Amino acid sequence: MSTAPADALDPVRRGRLFAAVAGVVVLFLAASSVPSPLYVVYQAAWGFSASTLTIVFAVYVLFLLASLLVVGGLSDHVGRRPVLATALVVQTVAVVLFLVASNVTMLLVARAVQGAATGAAITAMAATLVDLNPRRAGLANATTPLIGLALGALGCGLLVEYAPAPTRLIWIVLLAGFAVVAVVLALLPETAPRRPGALASLRPRLRIPAGLRADVLAITPVLAASWALGGLYLSLGPSVAAEILGLQSHLLGGVLVTLLCGVGALTAVTVFRRSPESLLAPAGGLLAAGTLITLAGLALGSPLGTAAGTVVAGLGFGSASLACFGTLARIAAPETRGELMAVAYTIAYLAFSAPAVVAGFATVQVGLRPVAEAYGLVVVALGLTAVVARALVVRSRRGATRECVEA
């Protein structure tokens, strides 16, 4: 196995590897969003309740978080390739389980295995991108998950609506994609040297590397707001489109997710040259404003109003993603990149999952509309918190600067 450090690679090869790894991130995240448009198909075929659907969603996130806590920093010690190769094998097993699933128990198992694979892969892939190109890694880590989520939801929606075997064909397509990923990993040199402490790193914990706590705390409100919004769309989006807006097409349910994530990815590319810190407050404001417009569209039963709100929220989603992952790419030291990404993704997926799980169970008791409205208001509150937190940080820094000048 090649152990050449990333900075010793030929620049052209390094750029190609960077693009290839970014493509792998897209595929992994696409696979994670594929079940969203399929849930209503599975529900109709197997006759399980909304509570069971929530459990399926919760199992995925539970295993993903467990994977982040246990192996999130492992690639800092054993290298990126072994972790990515193992994650690919586990992800392939998950796709095969989805392909042959014939009942809700198999769906639960498949989703759990997929969660474990995604949690292991996502931090190692994010760290690999920083290894290969720290300057562009912030943009890549901001956009590739959004592109993956968008393509997964849209592609699955298209196949479910217009192609034969809606619960089978998409998984065959993904298996072909993961075969290509295996080739990419075979060609990928190791970008992180081995370091002692691999066994100790497996002890479940979250640790922010020394000196970086203030930076991580600064991005936490907007990181939580943006991923909570993503959880709203991926968990309730297709159901909202069908039950509240009366859009019965499986494709249109996926389009809502695609609109949010696609606009987010385009926004991150557009504002790439801006300082990540300067995006924190605008991102929170756009997330709050877009969610409010979306809620107004739902109250009026207006698909166009809901779509307009989703576009505004997508502007905030992309700005937030670049602000957060651009900051992480700037501050991450080579020996702690995996560990730091594990902290960030744990915060993100907790915000993504906890409200969605509560919403899923609440839907059974009080109905979809009030739950969607309450969930949206939680996102608004988180977005406004990000704006206020950023204003307080700026004010504190100005005060400290003034004191230094006076002294």
Side-chain angles (χ1 to χ4, degrees):
M1 180 180 69
S2 173
T3 56
D7 55 9
L9 296 173
D10 173 76
V12 174
R13 185 184 180 207
R14 194 168 170 179
R16 290 172 178 170
L17 290 171
F18 183 88
V21 174
V24 174
V25 180
V26 169
L27 187 62
F28 262 79
L29 271 294
S32 75
S33 70
V34 157
S36 187
L38 279 175
Y39 283 148
V40 291
V41 180
Y42 289 132
Q43 198 170 12
W46 300 333
F48 55 83
S49 67
S51 296
T52 301
L53 186 59
T54 300
I55 292 171
V56 172
F57 178 83
V59 161
Y60 167 76
V61 178
L62 178 65
F63 276 79
L64 186 148
L65 290 172
S67 182
L68 282 173
L69 289 172
V70 175
V71 300
L74 184 62
S75 72
D76 290 333
H77 302 278
V78 302
R80 315 294 184 210
R81 287 186 73 205
V83 175
L84 290 175
T86 303
L88 175 61
V89 171
V90 178
Q91 180 73 280
T92 303
V93 170
V95 172
V96 172
L97 288 172
F98 277 117
L99 180 62
V100 301
S102 58
N103 54 57
V104 72
T105 300
M106 294 183 70
L107 182 61
L108 279 165
V109 173
R111 202 64 169 135
V113 174
Q114 187 181 49
T118 304
I122 196 167
T123 55
M125 291 186 292
T128 302
L129 289 171
V130 180
D131 294 341
L132 290 168
N133 193 329
R135 189 174 68 86
R136 293 193 175 274
L139 177 62
N141 282 325
T143 56
T144 50
L146 303 184
I147 294 170
L149 291 172
L151 290 179
L154 180 62
C156 184
L158 281 168
L159 292 179
V160 168
E161 189 68 23
Y162 299 114
T167 61
R168 299 285 187 266
L169 182 59
I170 184 62
W171 304 114
I172 295 172
V173 173
L174 285 174
L175 281 176
F178 286 126
V180 176
V181 172
V183 175
V184 171
L185 292 186
L187 298 175
L188 180 70
E190 183 54 72
T191 61
R194 292 179 179 270
R195 294 185 175 90
L199 288 178
S201 74
L202 296 177
R203 186 174 72 248
R205 64 174 182 174
L206 284 178
R207 188 180 74 88
I208 302 174
L212 302 183
R213 183 167 298 175
D215 295 280
V216 173
L217 290 177
I219 67 172
T220 295
V222 76
L223 182 64
S226 58
W227 280 72
L229 180 66
L232 170 61
Y233 274 76
L234 280 165
S235 62
L236 298 182
S239 298
V240 166
E243 294 184 31
I244 298 179
L245 297 176
L247 305 173
Q248 297 303 318
S249 167
H250 297 298
L251 174 60
L252 292 176
V255 164
L256 275 179
V257 178
T258 303
L259 194 58
L260 176 75
C261 299
V263 170
L266 289 174
T267 301
V269 172
T270 302
V271 300
F272 169 56
R273 298 194 179 280
R274 288 189 57 178
S275 160
E277 283 194 342
S278 71
L279 296 171
L280 289 171
L286 286 167
L287 287 167
T291 305
L292 282 174
I293 296 170
T294 301
L295 291 176
L298 292 179
L300 296 172
S302 169
L304 287 178
T306 303
T310 300
V311 169
V312 175
L315 296 174
F317 201 2
S319 300
S321 192
L322 184 61
C324 296
F325 288 102
T327 298
L328 293 173
R330 176 178 59 81
I331 66 176
E335 65 274 11
T336 59
R337 281 171 183 162
E339 187 175 46
L340 186 60
M341 292 299 175
V343 171
Y345 275 111
T346 300
I347 295 169
Y349 273 101
L350 280 173
F352 177 87
S353 61
V357 170
V358 172
F361 286 114
T363 298
V364 179
Q365 303 299 321
V366 299
L368 180 61
R369 181 183 290 275
V371 169
E373 291 170 348
Y375 195 151
L377 291 175
V378 170
V379 174
V380 171
L382 287 171
L384 294 177
T385 299
V387 175
V388 173
R390 178 60 186 161
L392 291 175
V393 169
V394 171
R395 182 178 179 181
S396 175
R397 288 179 178 175
R398 286 175 179 171
T401 302
R402 191 179 300 113
E403 289 177 4
C404 290
V405 171
E406 290 175 353

